[in-house]
Amino acid sequence: MTEEYVDYAGRSEPKERWLRASPLIIAGVLGVPLLALAVIFSLWIAQIAKYMFDLGTTGWNTIGIVFLSLSGALCVLLWIAFLFIGSRRRTWRWRISWAAAALLVAAALPLWWLFAGFFSGNPAPM
């Protein structure tokens, strides 16, 4: 009597699962400090926004300041969404693409903050 072994599609070894998840794990770990900077930046802008509203600003300036105040939370939500979507993909190409997108959305606000000249070495106190 011979024994039959069934290989289920979608089942993989634990080592292989960790390897396939590694781009998303790396994007998750590298994204946390960048997102912390993004949230801090949003809080600083929110503090400045209060004084700008007290002084009276135009409609477009108000829209811009409100968007900048909410941009840290938006980056966090998009980062979580991209990592979740990437975890549902099967191929390497899609996992790496979604991991890169998650890392890019996490780094977008701190890089913009750095290149736009908001960081002068003397940030506003919290």
Side-chain angles (χ1 to χ4, degrees), residues 45-114:
I45 292 295
Q47 289 176 348
I48 294 169
K50 181 203 179 299
Y51 297 114
M52 289 182 70
F53 294 148
D54 289 343
L55 292 173
T57 61
T58 64
W60 288 111
N61 288 340
T62 304
I63 291 170
I65 290 297
V66 168
F67 179 72
L68 284 175
S69 298
L70 298 174
S71 59
L74 181 66
C75 287
V76 171
L77 291 175
L78 288 174
W79 177 73
I80 291 170
F82 289 172
L83 288 178
F84 177 75
I85 293 168
S87 70
R88 301 289 148 217
R89 302 297 177 214
R90 298 276 182 223
T91 63
W92 277 97
R93 189 182 98 216
W94 283 108
R95 286 179 182 254
I96 291 172
S97 299
W98 283 106
L103 195 58
L104 184 65
V105 79
L109 199 57
L111 287 176
W112 179 72
W113 173 29
L114 183 67

Side-chain angles (χ1 to χ4, degrees), residues 11-57:
R11 297 271 183 169
S12 58
E13 296 293 322
K15 183 178 178 183
E16 183 182 328
R17 279 185 268 161
W18 279 104
L19 182 64
R20 290 184 65 161
S22 62
L24 298 168
I25 293 170
I26 292 169
V29 170
L30 293 177
V32 170
L34 295 170
L35 289 170
L37 287 174
V39 170
I40 289 171
F41 175 69
S42 292
L43 291 174
W44 287 344
I45 292 295
Q47 289 176 348
I48 294 169
K50 181 203 179 299
Y51 297 114
M52 289 182 70
F53 294 148
D54 289 343
L55 292 173
T57 61

